[in-house]
Structure formats: structure tokens, C-alpha cells
């Protein structure tokens, strides 16, 4: 158990409203990731973080922002939600990472997911 | 853009049958992982393969990494209903070790009927 929780687990919102999803970890891992999962697309990386206040974009970052003010929390924000952002969102941490380098394997452990519906 | 193509996307078989899931790419990966995901939960790591030609076995599951490190396969022997789930492969491209960014396949949904 990598001690990863996500909140909320389910959310229904309306187009144009802001939404923030939270990922919390208890094991002080340096690297954290946000993915979205849609049928036929597997997992697609939205943003990732390699330390407090150190973040970078993934392949589907448009319409999303992130923040990491403390090691244990990684927040994903949809500034103005759209129906195309209806998805299941997963947070993950890397199994290992010392300094700026992750291990060459980078096994990841995932949270339970947040199901977001934008009407 | 680096891609991992998984096949088949859906597989429905009877208990006791064997099956193979494939994960292919034109890119080379420094390592490749397989995950299993059940409905309503996050993916769970099954195995990591790191050496070209490597074969790893976990009970009835056999994982192989291609010699050229561009492809992998998952073979399940005598499938059981408990094997039902979504299987995902994920590769770590060369040059990504400092970010840890994985490339995921689309997934294979396996249903094993009693």
C-alpha cells in the first residue's frame, strides 16, 4: 500500500465551473503524476511533479493546471470544466526517486481514482 | 509521438483457456511494465521487465520482453474468472529516466467466464 488517497471520489459539475481534485500521499515520494483514463485510450499523462513547486506538462495538459505546495499533496485544477473533461482521473507516485533521478524502472503506484462528470 | 499498441482490445474466453496479450511499439524502451486494473480501482503493478529477451513468471502469468526492447507479451495459462480485468502495458522510453514519464498502451479488457 503506497498510502495514496484521492478526493473527491466522485463529482458531478456543470460546464464552466472550476474543479479541484486532490491527491494525498503519506510516504514522502518526490514524483507524482496525474492521468486521465478514457475508453480506448489507456492512461494519458496530464501533468507531473518532481518536487515541491516543480511541475511540468504531460501529453494532454490543455485546460488543466496543477500545484504542489507540499510534498504530500498534488492538486489538479480544471479552471473552467468542459464536457470533454468528463473522465476518470488517477494520481500516481513513482516507486523510487532520490535526488532528481527516478530509478530506470519507475514503477508507479496509483490512487483509487476520481470519477468526474461535467454536464 | 511514441506509442504502445496493445492487442487485442477485448478478449472474452472460457475458464481454463489460454490467452496472450501483445504490446508493440516502433520505439525502444528501457523497461516495460504490466498493470492490472479492476473496475472502480486504480491499476496495480504486476511486473517490470528490463532486459531484452527477459521472461518472468508469476504463477500462471508469463511476461516476455522482446529482444529489441520494442515489444512485450503477457500469456495467461488456464485462465480463471479472477483474472478478469483490464490489463495495461506501460513503457519507459529511453531518455525519460529523469522524469519517469511512462507511455501506456490502450489496455486489454479480459473477461473470463466460468
Amino acid at each position: 500500500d503506497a498510502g495514496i488517497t484521492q478526493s473527491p471520489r466522485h463529482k458531478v459539475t456543470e460546464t464552466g465551473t472550476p474543479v479541484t481534485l486532490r491527491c494525498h500521499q503519506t510516504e514522502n515520494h518526490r514524483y507524482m503524476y496525474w492521468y486521465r483514463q478514457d475508453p480506448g485510450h489507456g492512461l494519458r499523462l496530464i501533468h507531473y511533479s518532481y518536487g515541491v513547486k516543480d511541475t511540468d506538462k504531460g501529453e494532454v495538459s490543455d485546460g488543466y493546471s496543477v500545484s504542489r505546495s507540499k510534498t504530500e499533496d498534488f492538486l489538479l485544477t480544471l479552471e473552467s470544466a468542459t464536457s470533454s473533461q468528463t473522465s476518470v482521473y488517477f494520481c500516481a507516485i513513482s516507486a523510487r526517486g532520490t535526488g532528481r533521478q527516478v530509478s530506470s524502472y519507475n514503477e508507479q503506484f496509483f490512487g483509487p481514482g476520481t470519477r468526474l462528470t461535467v454536464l | 509521438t511514441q506509442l504502445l499498441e496493445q492487442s487485442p482490445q477485448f478478449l472474452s474466453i472460457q475458464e481454463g483457456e489460454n490467452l496472450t496479450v501483445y504490446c508493440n511499439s516502433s520505439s525502444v524502451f528501457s523497461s516495460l511494465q504490466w498493470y492490472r486494473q479492476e473496475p472502480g480501482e486504480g491499476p496495480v503493478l504486476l511486473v517490470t521487465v528490463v532486459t531484452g529477451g527477459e521472461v518472468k513468471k508469476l504463477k500462471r502469468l508469463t511476461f516476455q520482453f522482446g529482444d529489441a526492447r520494442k515489444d512485450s507479451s503477457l500469456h495467461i495459462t488456464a485462465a480463471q474468472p479472477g483474472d478478469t480485468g483490464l490489463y495495461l502495458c506501460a513503457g519507459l522510453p529511453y531518455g525519460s529516466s529523469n522524469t519517469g514519464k511512462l507511455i501506456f498502451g490502450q489496455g486489454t479488457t479480459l473477461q473470463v467466464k466460468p
Side-chain angles (χ1 to χ4, degrees):
Chain A
D1 183 3
I4 307 168
T5 57
Q6 292 184 233
S7 59
R9 293 294 314 277
H10 301 272
K11 186 168 182 68
V12 180
T13 190
E14 293 187 351
T15 298
T17 60
V19 176
T20 295
L21 308 182
R22 179 180 183 242
C23 177
H24 179 79
Q25 56 135 333
T26 59
E27 299 186 359
N28 231 26
H29 290 284
R30 187 181 176 108
Y31 291 82
M32 299 182 75
Y33 307 83
W34 274 109
Y35 294 91
R36 60 178 289 173
Q37 185 174 42
D38 304 288
H41 290 277
L43 288 163
R44 292 182 291 174
L45 182 66
I46 305 171
H47 282 279
Y48 67 101
S49 170
Y50 45 92
V52 173
K53 297 187 179 177
D54 290 327
T55 64
D56 205 348
K57 297 178 180 180
E59 62 175 307
V60 290
S61 59
D62 287 348
Y64 302 95
S65 63
V66 290
S67 66
R68 192 163 178 207
S69 58
K70 339 185 244 185
T71 299
E72 58 266 35
D73 288 324
F74 191 28
L75 303 181
L76 176 70
T77 296
L78 291 67
E79 300 291 349
S80 177
T82 66
S83 58
S84 64
Q85 293 175 312
T86 291
S87 186
V88 181
Y89 291 86
F90 288 98
C91 173
I93 58 95
S94 171
R96 281 167 253 168
T98 56
R100 276 190 67 91
Q101 286 254 323
V102 298
S103 77
S104 60
Y105 306 163
N106 193 48
E107 291 95 343
Q108 294 187 5
F109 292 90
F110 289 81
T114 294
R115 182 172 294 276
L116 175 67
T117 302
V118 184
L119 301 175
Chain B
T1 303
Q2 293 167 308
L3 294 172
L4 269 173
E5 299 286 340
Q6 262 186 260
S7 62
Q9 289 195 29
F10 301 97
L11 198 52
S12 181
I13 61 172
Q14 293 294 134
E15 182 176 2
E17 293 183 4
N18 302 332
L19 67 115
T20 302
V21 178
Y22 299 94
C23 184
N24 296 300
S25 177
S26 58
S27 303
V28 179
F29 295 95
S30 60
S31 65
L32 196 137
Q33 299 156 21
W34 285 91
Y35 294 81
R36 179 167 168 264
Q37 183 179 15
E38 297 194 26
E41 300 180 5
V44 175
L45 179 70
L46 294 173
V47 76
T48 300
V49 286
V50 298
T51 305
E54 182 177 5
V55 177
K56 280 192 174 179
K57 292 190 177 183
L58 292 176
K59 298 183 180 178
R60 293 176 294 100
L61 277 61
T62 301
F63 304 86
Q64 185 163 6
F65 201 14
D67 291 341
R69 307 165 76 104
K70 294 182 179 180
D71 56 87
S72 182
S73 63
L74 158 61
H75 182 78
I76 301 179
T77 303
Q80 299 177 359
D83 296 326
T84 293
L86 176 68
Y87 290 82
L88 294 156
C89 63
L92 182 66
Y94 273 106
S96 294
S97 59
N98 62 332
T99 65
K101 291 164 64 176
L102 297 175
I103 305 294
F104 280 85
Q106 311 99 307
T108 295
T109 299
L110 171 64
Q111 180 187 42
V112 182
K113 293 179 277 190

